[in-house]
């Protein structure tokens, strides 16, 4: 039987990360579903990083506040327990931020976002959470044989702004020293990035919140959020009435009233190999460094503590009309594509087997940047739109959300992007059809560049269509 004939089937169990984290935590404190009506000072909807960081910072800012967190699965059951574990801030977004808010504001935002890396490390130490945190650095590599790097402009822009060391160009020899692959050319080094076991961070946050007196109801779905006076959040087992609510539902925002017109859910899938520590040593990949390629449907890959490679790619499909269903968890074609990307980028590991595969939705906005703000007269506070880069920035979002609940009188809540909405996306079914066409074109363009071919004019045109319409999507 060939190695590829035995690919793991996604959607049959929790992510490898979450299985590992749940096994390591033993018998965790229960967080039973809501049964009956309760009132709270703050209700948090969503038990991923964003909701849990918001709850954590609320316990810091408002000690004694009654905080109730509702999660329709278990805490960390969503993308926060399934992601690649790449933790970094927004240095690569600085050119975009300069265009939106000017140089000074862009740097203020990027510096605040940079806190998340050391902040997560220090938080893990403080709370004795072993999330496999290593400040290992992150290399983006150019794996297209005939394409020039596309990041020189970003490096130059940062240097002009006085931030020389955040992103550093690497020649091909330096890339090979991190991980020797014939597919890799030159690269871009982000020294300030860290790797984590993502589900261990999520489960660690859950433990700390319970210790701090936050009430968590798992398997409890918030059906809606309304109220002119106190907010009402009905669930199957009872209603939460609260003065403030934090809505931290990530890709599920694509189906939530008020947000559905600005958020698109897109699938990202991962696989994990069998343990191969000796093979990693042979190719020199022993420093926990994070790696990704420069495809639009980015492949991202890193090692684990027990010598595996966890490898993902944003090759899933777009969702339809805000439904977060099996497209994001059961797509075997997406897994096959992730594996094909693995074989292409790491051809010397052609015989390595995969032990697990899983997927999840990522939340894309028109500018691929989060929207964080308040609605309902300043009583509902929301954050989503991390575009597959929320492992670190969700901590900043949590700080902002807690500050907004606390009246917003804090520099972090006054960062210029707070309160700025993202552009409207086309309505359904045009959005779904358009996303399918553009995704197909992007994959075909990436495939052609991988093979050293020039993509057809039609493929190139379709891949650039969103940009022509003013979106920061596509090429
Ligand atoms: C495969 C994959 C790989 C990724 N890799 C990386 C990476 O390496 N680095 C990075 O920075 N980012 C990565 N991301 C993105 C990252 O996981 C997210 O940006 C981050 O987890 C967002 O956290 P969150 O709390 O906002 O969302 P989530 O973790 O999605 O949490 C939202 C929670 O809300 C719950 N929920 C939704 N609706 C309701 C409701 N009505 N009632 C109650 N609960 C509800 C959901 O069940 C979910 O648990 C990846 C994502 C995926 C899918």
């Amino acid at each position: 039987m060939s190695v590829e004939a035995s690919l793991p089937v996604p959607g049959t169990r929790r992510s490898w990360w979450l299985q590992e984290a749940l096994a390591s935590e033993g018998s965790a404190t229960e967080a039973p579903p809501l049964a009956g009506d309760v009132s709270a000072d703050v209700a948090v909807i969503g038990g991923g990083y964003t909701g849990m960081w918001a709850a954590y910072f609320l316990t810091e800012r408002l000690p004694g506040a009654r905080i109730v967190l509702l999660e329709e699965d278990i805490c960390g059951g969503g993308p926060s327990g399934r992601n690649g574990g790449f933790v970094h801030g927004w240095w690569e977004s600085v050119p975009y931020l300069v265009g939106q808010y000017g140089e000074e504001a862009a740097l203020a935002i990027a510096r605040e976002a940079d806190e998340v890396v050391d902040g997560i490390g220090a938080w893990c130490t403080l709370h004795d959470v072993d999330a496999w945190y290593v400040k290992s650095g992150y290399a983006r590599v150019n794996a297209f044989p005939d394409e020039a790097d596309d990041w020189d402009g970003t490096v130059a822009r940062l240097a002009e702004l006085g931030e020389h060391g955040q992103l550093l160009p690497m020649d091909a020899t330096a890339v090979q020293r991190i991980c020797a692959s014939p597919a890799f050319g030159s690269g871009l080094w982000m020294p300030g990035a860290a790797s984590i076991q993502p589900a261990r961070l999520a489960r660690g946050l859950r433990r700390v919140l319970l210790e701090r007196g936050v009430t968590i109801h798992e398997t409890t779905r918030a059906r809606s959020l309304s109220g002119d006076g106190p907010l009402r959040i009905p669930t199957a087992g009872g209603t939460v009435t609260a003065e403030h609510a934090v809505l931290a539902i990530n890709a599920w925002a694509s189906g939530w009233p008020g947000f559905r017109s600005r958020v698109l859910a897109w699938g990202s899938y991962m696989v994990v190999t069998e343990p191969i520590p000796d093979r990693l040593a042979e190719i020199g990949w022993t420093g926990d460094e994070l790696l990704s390629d420069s495809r639009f449907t980015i492949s991202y890959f890193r090692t684990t503590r027990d010598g595996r490679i966890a490898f993902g790619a944003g090759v899933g499909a777009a969702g339809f009309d805000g439904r977060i269903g099996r497209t994001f968890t059961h797509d075997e074609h997406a897994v096959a594509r992730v594996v094909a990307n693995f074989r292409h980028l790491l051809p010397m590991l052609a015989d390595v087997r995969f032990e697990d595969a899983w997927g999840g939705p990522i939340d894309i906005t028109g500018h691929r940047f989060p929207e964080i703000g308040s609605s309902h007269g300043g009583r509902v506070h929301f954050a989503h739109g991390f575009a597959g880069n929320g492992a670190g920035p969700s901590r900043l979002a949590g700080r902002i959300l807690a500050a907004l609940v606390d009246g917003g009188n804090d520099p972090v809540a006054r960062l210029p992007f707070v309160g700025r909405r993202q552009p409207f996306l086309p309505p359904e079914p045009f959005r779904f059809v358009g996303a399918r066409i553009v995704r197909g074109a992007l994959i075909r363009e990436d495939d052609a560049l991988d093979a050293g071919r020039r993509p057809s004019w039609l493929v190139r045109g379709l891949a650039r269509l969103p940009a022509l319409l003013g979106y920061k999507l596509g090429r």
Side-chain angles (χ1 to χ4, degrees), residues 46 48-50 71-72 79-80 83-86 222 250 252 268 300 388-391:
Y49 299 140
T50 303
E71 165 54 51
E72 72 175 28
S80 294
N83 63 77
F86 286 48
N250 189 26
W252 285 259
S268 197
Y300 47 93
N389 287 306

Side-chain angles (χ1 to χ4, degrees), residues 287-367:
D288 293 308
E289 297 90 347
L290 303 161
L291 285 160
S292 74
D293 70 358
S294 49
R295 279 175 159 246
F296 181 81
T297 51
I298 184 171
S299 288
Y300 47 93
F301 34 113
R302 43 82 52 96
T303 53
T304 67
R305 195 181 261 182
D306 59 346
R308 301 165 190 267
I309 297 174
F311 187 107
V315 292
F320 176 67
D321 202 24
R323 288 174 216 159
I324 305 296
R326 291 167 66 91
T327 309
F328 302 107
T329 46
H330 287 68
D331 187 344
E332 293 185 43
H333 294 296
V335 170
R337 185 157 269 283
V338 173
V339 168
N341 288 4
F342 180 105
R343 300 296 187 210
H344 176 76
L345 289 170
L346 302 168
M348 61 291 186
L349 302 178
D351 56 328
V352 167
R353 290 175 186 275
F354 301 95
E355 291 195 346
D356 215 341
W358 64 91
I362 58 178
D363 46 346
I364 310 270
T365 59
H367 286 167

Side-chain angles (χ1 to χ4, degrees), residues 42 54 57-58 60-63 65 244 246 374 378-379 381 398-410 413:
V42 188
F57 287 112
L58 281 166
E60 297 274 288
R61 297 185 77 104
L62 303 170
H244 284 266
V246 168
S374 303
R379 291 174 307 129
H381 314 280
R399 282 175 60 210
I400 295 171
L401 290 165
L404 289 171
V405 170
D406 194 17
N409 190 19
D410 185 309

